[in-house]
Coordinates of all heavy atoms in Angstrom, one line a residue:
T82 N 4.6 6.6 -2.4 CA 3.9 7.8 -2.0 C 4.5 8.9 -2.8 O 5.7 9.2 -2.7 CB 4.0 8.0 -0.5 OG1 3.4 6.9 0.2 CG2 3.2 9.3 -0.1
L83 N 3.6 9.7 -3.4 CA 4.0 10.8 -4.2 C 4.0 12.1 -3.3 O 3.1 12.2 -2.5 CB 3.2 11.1 -5.4 CG 3.2 10.0 -6.5 CD1 2.2 10.4 -7.6 CD2 4.6 9.7 -7.0
A84 N 4.9 12.9 -3.4 CA 5.0 14.2 -2.7 C 5.3 15.3 -3.7 O 5.9 15.2 -4.7 CB 6.0 14.1 -1.6
K85 N 4.8 16.5 -3.3 CA 5.0 17.7 -4.2 C 6.4 18.1 -4.2 O 7.0 18.3 -3.1 CB 4.1 18.8 -3.7 CG 4.2 20.1 -4.5 CD 3.2 21.2 -3.9 CE 3.2 22.4 -4.7 NZ 2.3 23.4 -4.1
P86 N 7.1 18.2 -5.3 CA 8.5 18.6 -5.4 C 8.6 20.1 -5.1 O 7.6 20.8 -5.1 CB 8.9 18.3 -6.8 CG 7.8 17.4 -7.4 CD 6.6 17.7 -6.6
A87 N 9.8 20.5 -4.8 CA 10.1 22.0 -4.6 C 9.8 22.7 -5.9 O 9.8 22.1 -6.9 CB 11.5 22.1 -4.1
G88 N 9.6 24.0 -5.8 CA 9.3 24.8 -7.0 C 10.3 24.6 -8.1 O 11.5 24.5 -7.9
D89 N 9.8 24.6 -9.3 CA 10.5 24.4 -10.5 C 11.3 23.1 -10.6 O 12.3 23.0 -11.4 CB 11.5 25.6 -10.8 CG 10.7 26.9 -11.0 OD1 9.7 26.8 -11.8 OD2 11.1 27.9 -10.5
Q90 N 11.0 22.1 -9.8 CA 11.7 20.8 -9.8 C 10.9 19.8 -10.6 O 9.7 19.9 -10.7 CB 12.0 20.3 -8.4 CG 12.8 21.2 -7.5 CD 14.2 21.3 -8.1 OE1 14.9 20.3 -8.3 NE2 14.7 22.5 -8.2
S91 N 11.7 18.9 -11.3 CA 11.0 17.8 -12.0 C 11.5 16.5 -11.4 O 12.7 16.3 -11.2 CB 11.4 17.9 -13.5 OG 10.9 19.0 -14.1
V92 N 10.6 15.6 -11.2 CA 10.9 14.2 -10.7 C 10.3 13.2 -11.7 O 9.2 13.4 -12.1 CB 10.2 14.0 -9.3 CG1 10.4 12.6 -8.8 CG2 10.8 15.0 -8.3
I93 N 11.1 12.2 -12.0 CA 10.6 11.1 -12.9 C 10.6 9.9 -12.0 O 11.5 9.5 -11.4 CB 11.6 10.9 -14.1 CG1 11.6 12.2 -15.0 CG2 11.2 9.7 -14.9 CD1 12.6 12.1 -16.1
V94 N 9.4 9.2 -12.1 CA 9.2 8.0 -11.4 C 9.0 6.9 -12.4 O 8.0 6.9 -13.2 CB 8.0 8.0 -10.4 CG1 7.8 6.7 -9.7 CG2 8.1 9.2 -9.4
R95 N 9.9 5.9 -12.4 CA 9.8 4.8 -13.4 C 9.0 3.7 -12.7 O 9.4 3.3 -11.6 CB 11.2 4.3 -13.7 CG 12.0 5.4 -14.4 CD 13.0 4.8 -15.4 NE 13.9 5.9 -15.8 CZ 13.6 6.7 -16.9 NH1 12.5 6.5 -17.5 NH2 14.5 7.6 -17.2
L96 N 8.0 3.3 -13.3 CA 7.1 2.3 -12.8 C 7.5 0.9 -13.4 O 7.1 0.5 -14.5 CB 5.6 2.6 -13.1 CG 5.1 4.0 -12.7 CD1 3.7 4.2 -13.2 CD2 5.2 4.1 -11.2
D97 N 8.2 0.1 -12.6 CA 8.7 -1.2 -13.0 C 8.0 -2.2 -12.1 O 8.0 -2.1 -10.9 CB 10.2 -1.3 -12.8 CG 11.0 -0.4 -13.7 OD1 10.5 -0.1 -14.8 OD2 12.0 0.2 -13.3
G98 N 7.5 -3.3 -12.7 CA 6.8 -4.3 -12.0 C 5.4 -3.8 -11.5 O 4.9 -2.8 -11.9
S99 N 4.9 -4.4 -10.5 CA 3.6 -4.1 -9.9 C 3.8 -2.9 -8.9 O 4.6 -3.0 -8.1 CB 3.0 -5.3 -9.2 OG 1.7 -4.9 -8.7
V100 N 3.0 -1.8 -9.1 CA 3.2 -0.6 -8.4 C 1.9 -0.2 -7.8 O 0.8 -0.2 -8.4 CB 3.7 0.5 -9.3 CG1 3.8 1.8 -8.5 CG2 5.1 0.1 -9.9
V101 N 1.9 0.3 -6.5 CA 0.7 0.9 -5.9 C 1.1 2.4 -5.7 O 2.1 2.7 -5.0 CB 0.4 0.3 -4.6 CG1 -0.8 1.0 -3.9 CG2 0.0 -1.2 -4.8
L102 N 0.4 3.3 -6.3 CA 0.7 4.7 -6.1 C -0.2 5.3 -5.0 O -1.4 5.2 -5.1 CB 0.4 5.5 -7.4 CG 1.4 5.2 -8.6 CD1 0.9 5.9 -9.8 CD2 2.8 5.6 -8.2
N103 N 0.4 5.9 -4.0 CA -0.4 6.5 -2.9 C -0.4 8.0 -3.2 O 0.7 8.7 -3.2 CB 0.3 6.2 -1.6 CG -0.5 6.7 -0.4 OD1 -1.2 7.7 -0.6 ND2 -0.3 6.1 0.7
L104 N -1.5 8.6 -3.5 CA -1.7 10.0 -3.8 C -2.1 10.8 -2.6 O -2.5 12.0 -2.8 CB -2.7 10.1 -5.0 CG -2.4 9.3 -6.2 CD1 -3.5 9.4 -7.2 CD2 -1.0 9.6 -6.8
A105 N -2.1 10.3 -1.4 CA -2.7 11.0 -0.2 C -1.9 12.3 0.0 O -2.5 13.3 0.4 CB -2.6 10.1 1.0
N106 N -0.6 12.3 -0.2 CA 0.2 13.5 0.1 C -0.1 14.7 -0.8 O 0.2 15.8 -0.5 CB 1.7 13.2 0.1 CG 2.1 12.4 1.3 OD1 1.4 12.3 2.3 ND2 3.3 11.9 1.3
I107 N -0.6 14.4 -2.0 CA -0.9 15.4 -3.0 C -2.4 15.6 -3.2 O -2.9 16.4 -4.1 CB -0.2 15.2 -4.3 CG1 -0.7 13.9 -5.0 CG2 1.3 15.2 -4.1 CD1 -0.2 13.8 -6.4
S108 N -3.2 15.0 -2.4 CA -4.7 15.0 -2.6 C -5.3 16.4 -2.4 O -6.4 16.7 -3.0 CB -5.4 14.0 -1.7 OG -5.2 14.4 -0.3
N109 N -4.7 17.3 -1.6 CA -5.2 18.6 -1.4 C -4.5 19.7 -2.3 O -4.8 20.9 -2.1 CB -5.1 19.0 0.1 CG -6.0 18.2 0.9 OD1 -7.1 17.9 0.5 ND2 -5.6 17.8 2.1
E110 N -3.6 19.2 -3.2 CA -2.9 20.2 -4.0 C -3.7 20.5 -5.3 O -4.5 19.7 -5.7 CB -1.6 19.5 -4.5 CG -0.6 19.2 -3.4 CD 0.0 20.5 -2.7 OE1 0.0 21.5 -3.4 OE2 0.5 20.3 -1.6
N111 N -3.5 21.7 -5.8 CA -4.0 22.0 -7.1 C -3.1 21.5 -8.2 O -1.9 21.9 -8.3 CB -4.1 23.6 -7.3 CG -5.1 24.2 -6.4 OD1 -6.2 23.6 -6.2 ND2 -4.8 25.4 -5.9
I112 N -3.6 20.4 -8.9 CA -2.8 19.7 -9.9 C -3.5 19.7 -11.2 O -4.7 19.8 -11.3 CB -2.4 18.3 -9.5 CG1 -3.6 17.4 -9.3 CG2 -1.5 18.3 -8.2 CD1 -3.3 16.0 -9.1
T113 N -2.7 19.5 -12.3 CA -3.2 19.2 -13.6 C -2.5 17.9 -14.1 O -1.3 17.7 -13.9 CB -2.8 20.3 -14.6 OG1 -3.4 21.5 -14.1 CG2 -3.4 20.0 -16.0
L114 N -3.4 17.0 -14.6 CA -2.8 15.7 -15.1 C -2.8 15.7 -16.6 O -3.8 16.1 -17.2 CB -3.7 14.5 -14.6 CG -3.9 14.4 -13.1 CD1 -4.9 13.3 -12.8 CD2 -2.6 14.1 -12.4
V115 N -1.7 15.4 -17.2 CA -1.5 15.4 -18.6 C -0.9 14.1 -19.1 O 0.1 13.6 -18.5 CB -0.5 16.6 -19.0 CG1 -0.3 16.6 -20.5 CG2 -1.0 17.9 -18.5
R116 N -1.5 13.6 -20.2 CA -1.0 12.3 -20.8 C -0.1 12.7 -21.9 O -0.4 13.5 -22.8 CB -2.1 11.5 -21.3 CG -1.6 10.2 -22.0 CD -2.8 9.4 -22.5 NE -2.3 8.1 -22.8 CZ -2.0 7.7 -24.1 NH1 -2.0 8.6 -25.0 NH2 -1.6 6.5 -24.3
V117 N 1.1 12.2 -21.9 CA 2.1 12.4 -22.9 C 2.6 11.0 -23.3 O 3.5 10.4 -22.7 CB 3.3 13.3 -22.4 CG1 4.3 13.5 -23.6 CG2 2.8 14.6 -21.9
G118 N 2.1 10.5 -24.4 CA 2.5 9.2 -24.9 C 2.0 8.2 -23.8 O 0.9 8.1 -23.4
D119 N 3.0 7.4 -23.3 CA 2.6 6.4 -22.2 C 2.9 6.9 -20.8 O 2.8 6.2 -19.8 CB 3.4 5.1 -22.4 CG 4.9 5.2 -22.3 OD1 5.4 6.4 -22.2 OD2 5.6 4.2 -22.2
K120 N 3.2 8.2 -20.7 CA 3.5 8.9 -19.5 C 2.3 9.6 -18.9 O 1.5 10.2 -19.7 CB 4.7 9.8 -19.6 CG 5.9 9.2 -20.1 CD 7.0 10.2 -20.4 CE 8.2 9.6 -21.0 NZ 8.5 10.0 -22.3
L121 N 2.3 9.8 -17.6 CA 1.3 10.6 -16.9 C 2.2 11.7 -16.2 O 3.0 11.4 -15.4 CB 0.5 9.9 -15.9 CG -0.5 10.8 -15.1 CD1 -1.6 11.4 -16.0 CD2 -1.1 10.0 -14.0
V122 N 1.9 13.0 -16.5 CA 2.6 14.1 -15.9 C 1.7 14.8 -15.0 O 0.6 15.2 -15.4 CB 3.2 15.0 -17.0 CG1 4.0 16.2 -16.4 CG2 4.0 14.3 -18.0
V123 N 2.2 15.0 -13.7 CA 1.4 15.7 -12.7 C 2.1 17.1 -12.6 O 3.2 17.2 -12.3 CB 1.5 15.0 -11.4 CG1 0.7 15.8 -10.3 CG2 1.0 13.6 -11.5
L124 N 1.3 18.1 -13.0 CA 1.8 19.5 -12.9 C 1.2 20.2 -11.7 O 0.0 20.1 -11.4 CB 1.3 20.3 -14.2 CG 1.5 19.7 -15.5 CD1 0.8 20.5 -16.6 CD2 3.0 19.7 -15.8
F125 N 2.1 20.8 -10.9 CA 1.7 21.5 -9.7 C 1.7 23.0 -9.9 O 2.4 23.5 -10.8 CB 2.7 21.1 -8.6 CG 2.6 19.7 -8.1 CD1 3.4 18.7 -8.8 CD2 1.8 19.3 -7.1 CE1 3.4 17.4 -8.4 CE2 1.7 18.0 -6.7 CZ 2.5 17.0 -7.4
D126 N 1.1 23.7 -9.0 CA 1.0 25.2 -9.1 C 2.3 25.9 -8.9 O 2.4 27.1 -9.2 CB -0.1 25.7 -8.2 CG 0.1 25.4 -6.7 OD1 1.1 24.7 -6.4 OD2 -0.8 25.8 -5.9
N127 N 3.3 25.2 -8.3 CA 4.6 25.9 -8.1 C 5.6 25.6 -9.3 O 6.8 25.7 -9.1 CB 5.2 25.4 -6.8 CG 5.6 24.0 -6.8 OD1 5.2 23.2 -7.7 ND2 6.3 23.6 -5.7
K128 N 5.0 25.2 -10.4 CA 5.8 24.9 -11.6 C 6.7 23.6 -11.5 O 7.6 23.5 -12.3 CB 6.6 26.1 -12.1 CG 5.7 27.3 -12.4 CD 6.6 28.4 -12.9 CE 5.7 29.6 -13.1 NZ 6.4 30.8 -13.5
S129 N 6.4 22.8 -10.5 CA 7.1 21.5 -10.4 C 6.3 20.4 -11.1 O 5.1 20.6 -11.4 CB 7.4 21.1 -9.0 OG 6.1 20.9 -8.3
T130 N 6.9 19.3 -11.4 CA 6.2 18.2 -12.1 C 6.7 16.8 -11.5 O 7.8 16.7 -11.1 CB 6.5 18.2 -13.6 OG1 7.9 17.9 -13.9 CG2 6.0 19.4 -14.3
I131 N 5.8 15.9 -11.6 CA 6.2 14.5 -11.4 C 5.7 13.7 -12.7 O 4.6 13.9 -13.1 CB 5.4 13.8 -10.2 CG1 5.8 14.6 -8.9 CG2 5.7 12.4 -10.1 CD1 5.1 14.1 -7.7
T132 N 6.7 13.0 -13.3 CA 6.3 12.2 -14.5 C 6.4 10.7 -14.1 O 7.4 10.3 -13.6 CB 7.4 12.5 -15.6 OG1 7.3 13.9 -15.9 CG2 7.0 11.7 -16.8
L133 N 5.2 10.1 -14.3 CA 5.1 8.6 -14.1 C 5.2 7.9 -15.4 O 4.4 8.1 -16.3 CB 3.8 8.3 -13.4 CG 3.5 9.1 -12.1 CD1 2.1 8.9 -11.7 CD2 4.4 8.7 -11.0
E134 N 6.2 7.0 -15.5 CA 6.4 6.3 -16.8 C 6.8 4.9 -16.6 O 7.7 4.6 -15.7 CB 7.4 7.1 -17.7 CG 8.8 7.2 -17.1 CD 9.7 7.9 -18.0 OE1 9.3 8.5 -19.1 OE2 10.9 7.9 -17.7
P135 N 6.3 4.0 -17.4 CA 5.1 4.1 -18.2 C 3.9 4.0 -17.3 O 3.9 3.3 -16.4 CB 5.2 2.9 -19.2 CG 5.9 1.9 -18.4 CD 6.9 2.6 -17.5
F136 N 2.9 4.8 -17.6 CA 1.6 4.8 -16.9 C 0.5 4.2 -17.7 O -0.3 3.4 -17.2 CB 1.3 6.2 -16.4 CG 0.1 6.2 -15.5 CD1 0.3 6.0 -14.1 CD2 -1.2 6.4 -15.9 CE1 -0.8 6.1 -13.2 CE2 -2.3 6.4 -15.1 CZ -2.1 6.2 -13.7
F137 N 0.5 4.5 -19.0 CA -0.6 4.1 -19.9 C -0.1 2.9 -20.8 O 1.0 2.9 -21.2 CB -1.1 5.2 -20.8 CG -1.8 6.3 -20.0 CD1 -1.0 7.5 -19.7 CD2 -3.1 6.2 -19.6 CE1 -1.6 8.5 -18.9 CE2 -3.7 7.2 -18.8 CZ -2.9 8.4 -18.5
D138 N -1.0 2.0 -21.2 CA -0.7 1.0 -22.1 C -1.1 1.5 -23.5 O -1.4 2.6 -23.7 CB -1.4 -0.4 -21.8 CG -2.9 -0.3 -21.9 OD1 -3.5 0.7 -22.5 OD2 -3.6 -1.2 -21.4
Q139 N -1.0 0.6 -24.5 CA -1.2 0.9 -25.9 C -2.7 1.3 -26.2 O -3.0 2.0 -27.2 CB -0.9 -0.2 -26.8 CG 0.6 -0.7 -26.8 CD 0.8 -1.7 -25.7 OE1 0.0 -1.9 -24.7 NE2 1.9 -2.5 -25.8
T140 N -3.6 0.9 -25.3 CA -5.0 1.3 -25.5 C -5.4 2.5 -24.7 O -6.6 2.8 -24.6 CB -5.9 0.1 -25.1 OG1 -5.8 -0.1 -23.7 CG2 -5.6 -1.1 -25.9
W141 N -4.4 3.3 -24.2 CA -4.6 4.5 -23.5 C -5.2 4.4 -22.1 O -5.7 5.3 -21.5 CB -5.5 5.5 -24.3 CG -4.8 6.0 -25.6 CD1 -4.2 5.2 -26.5 CD2 -4.7 7.3 -26.0 NE1 -3.8 6.0 -27.5 CE2 -4.1 7.3 -27.3 CE3 -5.2 8.5 -25.6 CZ2 -3.9 8.4 -28.0 CZ3 -4.9 9.7 -26.3 CH2 -4.3 9.6 -27.5
K142 N -5.3 3.1 -21.6 CA -5.8 2.9 -20.3 C -4.6 2.8 -19.3 O -3.5 2.5 -19.8 CB -6.5 1.6 -20.2 CG -7.8 1.6 -21.0 CD -8.7 0.4 -20.8 CE -8.1 -0.7 -21.6 NZ -8.9 -1.9 -21.6
P143 N -4.7 3.1 -18.0 CA -3.6 2.9 -17.1 C -3.1 1.4 -17.2 O -3.9 0.5 -17.3 CB -4.3 3.1 -15.7 CG -5.4 4.1 -16.0 CD -5.9 3.7 -17.4
D144 N -1.8 1.3 -17.2 CA -1.2 0.0 -17.4 C -1.7 -0.9 -16.2 O -1.9 -0.5 -15.1 CB 0.3 0.1 -17.4 CG 1.0 -1.1 -18.0 OD1 0.7 -2.2 -17.5 OD2 1.9 -0.8 -18.8
D145 N -1.7 -2.2 -16.5 CA -2.1 -3.2 -15.5 C -1.2 -3.2 -14.3 O -1.6 -3.7 -13.2 CB -2.2 -4.6 -16.1 CG -3.4 -4.7 -17.0 OD1 -4.4 -3.9 -16.9 OD2 -3.4 -5.6 -17.9
I146 N 0.0 -2.7 -14.4 CA 0.9 -2.8 -13.3 C 0.7 -1.7 -12.3 O 1.2 -1.7 -11.2 CB 2.4 -2.7 -13.7 CG1 2.7 -1.3 -14.3 CG2 2.8 -3.8 -14.6 CD1 4.2 -1.1 -14.5
V147 N -0.2 -0.7 -12.6 CA -0.5 0.4 -11.7 C -1.8 0.3 -11.0 O -2.8 0.0 -11.6 CB -0.5 1.7 -12.6 CG1 -0.8 2.9 -11.7 CG2 0.8 1.9 -13.3
E148 N -1.7 0.5 -9.7 CA -2.9 0.6 -8.8 C -2.8 1.9 -8.1 O -1.7 2.2 -7.6 CB -3.0 -0.6 -7.9 CG -4.1 -0.5 -6.9 CD -4.1 -1.6 -5.9 OE1 -3.4 -2.6 -6.1 OE2 -4.7 -1.5 -4.8
T149 N -3.9 2.7 -8.0 CA -3.8 4.0 -7.3 C -4.7 3.9 -6.1 O -5.7 3.2 -6.1 CB -4.3 5.1 -8.2 OG1 -5.6 4.9 -8.7 CG2 -3.3 5.4 -9.3
K150 N -4.3 4.6 -5.1 CA -5.1 4.7 -3.8 C -5.2 6.1 -3.4 O -4.4 6.9 -3.6 CB -4.4 3.9 -2.7 CG -4.4 2.4 -2.9 CD -4.0 1.7 -1.7 CE -4.2 0.2 -2.0 NZ -4.2 -0.6 -0.8

């Protein structure tokens, strides 16, 4: 489950093996999603970030190990 970090904080989540990402806690937040290489960066309005790595495969699609809910 992802949660909004405190202001100006950065969190890195390493996705190893099969992962289910629960986005319910941030579903009402104002966010921007940015692809940086194989990473997905979630930018929040309080200048905090969550970086999910690796998120994308070589074909720019979400990696097969990632399932979102």
Side-chain angles (χ1 to χ4, degrees):
T82 300
L83 298 180
K85 182 179 182 177
D89 293 318
Q90 298 295 308
S91 295
V92 175
I93 297 174
V94 178
R95 301 209 186 274
L96 304 176
D97 297 325
S99 184
V100 176
V101 175
L102 293 175
N103 185 335
L104 306 176
N106 286 349
I107 64 169
S108 64
N109 291 322
E110 297 291 340
N111 290 323
I112 62 171
T113 301
L114 302 175
V115 179
R116 181 179 191 264
V117 180
D119 65 349
K120 301 173 181 116
L121 177 65
V122 181
V123 182
L124 306 170
F125 293 89
D126 58 0
N127 67 349
K128 299 182 183 175
S129 64
T130 65
I131 298 175
T132 301
L133 305 169
E134 62 179 8
F136 189 86
F137 296 99
D138 66 14
Q139 301 88 336
T140 63
W141 295 46
K142 293 187 279 187
D144 200 308
D145 289 338
I146 67 167
V147 179
E148 176 184 340
T149 57
K150 289 190 173 198

